[in-house]
Amino acid sequence: MGREQWKKVLVGSAGNMVEWFDWFVYASFATYFAGSFFPDGNPTAQLMNTAGIFAVGFFMRPVGGWLLGRVGDRKGRKAALTLTVSLMSASAVLIAVAPTYAVAGYGGAVVLLVARLLQGLSVGGEYAASATYLTEASDPKRRGFASSFQYVSMTAGQIVGLGLLLILQRALSDEALHSWGWRLPFVVGALGAAVIFYLRRNMLETDVYEESADEGQVAGDDKGTVKALWAHKREAFLVIALTMGGTVAYYTYTTYLTKYLSNSAGLSKQTATLVSFCALIVFACLQPLAGALSDRIGRRPLLITFAVGSTFLTVPIMTLLRHAGSFWPALGLSLLALVVVTGYTSINACVKAELFPTGIRALGVALPYAIANALFGGTAEYVALWFKDGGMESGFYWYVAGCAAVSLIVYLSMRETRDIDLNRVKSAETAMEPAA
């Protein structure tokens, strides 16, 4: 890729990192602030309350996907990306100053809920705007490689969050972390979002968006509208189906993993955090390699490999993780799981963007993806804790495997998208037909 393309990819990725730092910090620090917003009681019940609010944020993502996807298609990718980071900054500030249960009763939980709603709006648009921007800004022959930086930046945001957690765990006492230390990452997130807001105001729009007239496929007044999206409903349903298994597996082995290792496998919070931190570093490094591989062999082989691996390996991996007992076995199993998930994460952004014409691309990726995440990704942690609270924790393993199996059927039946010309994407008449 040329220097100008690299600049677009790096600026887009940097903003994505801050967005997802704020998003994942909530999950990473939940074990410390869960007791601050709800009455004393069963720790698992407190985690379920905070996980429920975490899930509510996902249910705002379809709204954010529709609103910010519309902005992205009508006003440009740059406008949507600038707006998303503004919303994320506001939500981080709200969480940082939210009053505890001891001070305001359930008022603090209400502030937490409002903040998560804003985060849901922001991330609902961020994923699609970022996926579209990175895909459009790259060399057509290197779209898989370029778009893989979306999950590099997403994972980097989580790595920074976990790294900050490790530092705070060593610098502060456990009592201080539960009392006030958990607020620090949200202050950091708000400051980081302010920096990215400045960078995104000066970022370059993609050539595909500026130059494409969509050959009359989407009228000017219909850009970014549900009406235009309905004309591509097959692609929309395809995005939901291919996202289902990937998002459940991703959130299981990233946001939920630390809690699972400490709450179920019996590892200390510090050890569980260190396992996730090390595993995610390797996971981030794998994304560009897998993305580049998809540019050579196609997207479908990687998606199919992910789905087969998740369908048949999830139950044994999760079962063994529960009995890992120490750092190295837990790390090895976590890495195995994340290597499998890489087949989805490294290329799912460009696959979805490649399905839609330019005038409806941001909304086409945003709304169906956000719906899938609201139904499956955002509820993964809550479903896992629900199975655990009911004494049937292994049921969650089968749930994850089943979602992957559904997506496998979709991957086997969909067409290859690697060689699609983004300026000449038409309808989905052949979206579900396998490549010859």
Side-chain angles (χ1 to χ4, degrees):
M1 294 190 300
R3 181 177 179 181
E4 203 66 33
Q5 289 175 327
W6 271 114
K7 181 179 179 181
K8 291 178 180 178
V9 169
L10 292 176
V11 172
S13 297
N16 202 36
M17 182 185 75
V18 174
E19 289 269 2
W20 290 92
F21 167 84
D22 287 340
W23 182 260
F24 284 120
V25 150
Y26 180 99
S28 299
F29 281 81
T31 54
Y32 290 101
F33 68 71
S36 297
F37 296 103
F38 301 99
D40 293 336
N42 186 338
T44 299
Q46 289 179 336
L47 281 175
M48 286 183 70
N49 287 328
T50 54
I53 293 179
F54 183 76
V56 166
F58 277 85
F59 283 99
M60 284 301 292
R61 286 175 68 165
V63 179
W66 166 74
L67 177 64
L68 295 168
R70 181 180 174 87
V71 171
D73 285 328
R74 297 182 73 89
K75 302 297 183 182
R77 318 312 187 200
K78 173 183 173 180
L81 287 169
T82 303
L83 182 55
T84 60
V85 79
S86 302
L87 292 172
M88 186 61 76
S89 178
S91 66
V93 170
L94 281 177
I95 297 177
V97 301
T100 63
Y101 180 81
V103 173
Y106 284 107
V110 172
V111 173
L112 192 66
L113 177 61
V114 171
R116 286 298 295 173
L117 293 177
L118 287 177
Q119 284 189 335
L121 283 172
S122 175
V123 176
E126 171 67 24
Y127 173 88
S130 177
T132 302
Y133 187 87
L134 292 174
T135 302
E136 291 181 348
S138 61
D139 185 308
K141 295 182 179 180
R142 306 199 70 185
R143 289 199 299 254
F145 173 75
S147 66
S148 71
F149 282 88
Q150 181 178 44
Y151 270 82
V152 172
S153 58
M154 286 172 59
T155 306
Q158 189 172 6
I159 289 171
V160 173
L162 287 172
L164 183 57
L165 177 56
L166 287 170
I167 292 172
L168 292 178
Q169 285 174 335
R170 284 157 176 74
L172 301 176
S173 66
D174 194 62
E175 180 182 357
L177 264 176
H178 281 86
S179 177
W180 57 270
W182 60 265
R183 297 182 186 271
L184 295 177
F186 297 102
V187 174
V188 172
L191 294 175
V195 173
I196 299 304
F197 176 80
Y198 171 78
L199 293 176
R200 284 187 166 178
R201 286 191 64 187
N202 295 282
M203 72 193 302
L204 300 173
E205 188 57 82
T206 67
D207 293 337
V208 171
Y209 180 82
E210 290 185 330
E211 297 174 3
S212 175
D214 286 331
E215 297 184 342
Q217 294 174 45
V218 181
D221 292 340
D222 287 340
K223 281 188 176 182
T225 64
V226 174
K227 175 184 176 182
L229 179 59
W230 188 248
H232 301 272
K233 55 184 176 294
R234 293 188 66 181
E235 292 104 319
F237 286 114
L238 179 59
V239 169
I240 293 174
L242 69 86
T243 299
M244 178 181 176
T247 191
V248 171
Y250 176 73
Y251 282 100
T252 296
Y253 294 120
T254 55
T255 58
Y256 180 61
L257 181 65
T258 304
K259 297 183 185 67
Y260 180 72
L261 292 175
S262 61
N263 204 28
S264 296
L267 274 65
S268 67
K269 290 180 180 178
Q270 291 84 351
T271 300
T273 303
L274 186 60
V275 168
S276 293
F277 181 79
C278 294
L280 286 172
I281 289 177
V282 177
F283 179 65
C285 293
L286 290 174
Q287 303 308 301
L289 299 177
L293 179 62
S294 79
D295 288 326
R296 296 180 64 88
I297 68 173
R299 321 297 189 211
R300 291 178 68 245
L302 271 71
L303 291 172
I304 292 171
T305 299
F306 150 72
V308 170
S310 290
T311 299
F312 295 102
L313 294 179
T314 294
V315 174
I317 287 176
M318 294 295 286
T319 302
L320 291 171
L321 271 174
R322 186 176 183 183
H323 301 93
S326 61
F327 173 80
W328 289 108
L331 177 61
L333 289 166
S334 299
L335 285 175
L336 175 60
L338 289 174
V339 167
V340 172
V341 174
T342 296
Y344 166 80
T345 56
S346 60
I347 59 171
N348 81 95
C350 66
V351 169
K352 295 163 188 171
E354 288 165 344
L355 293 173
F356 297 93
T358 306
I360 196 64
R361 185 168 292 131
L363 180 62
V365 175
L367 188 56
Y369 173 80
I371 290 173
N373 267 273
L375 295 175
F376 303 104
T379 59
E381 182 179 328
Y382 193 85
V383 171
L385 292 170
W386 180 82
F387 273 111
K388 177 178 175 58
D389 198 48
M392 304 177 294
E393 191 163 30
S394 62
F396 176 68
Y397 315 159
W398 290 100
Y399 169 76
V400 177
C403 290
V406 173
S407 287
L408 174 59
I409 297 172
V410 176
Y411 302 152
L412 290 172
S413 60
M414 70 180 287
R415 65 170 297 190
E416 179 57 63
T417 63
R418 179 188 60 178
D419 298 320
I420 285 177
D421 183 342
L422 294 182
N423 280 321
R424 283 164 172 71
V425 180
K426 296 184 180 179
S427 69
E429 294 296 324
T430 58
M432 291 297 292
E433 295 178 7

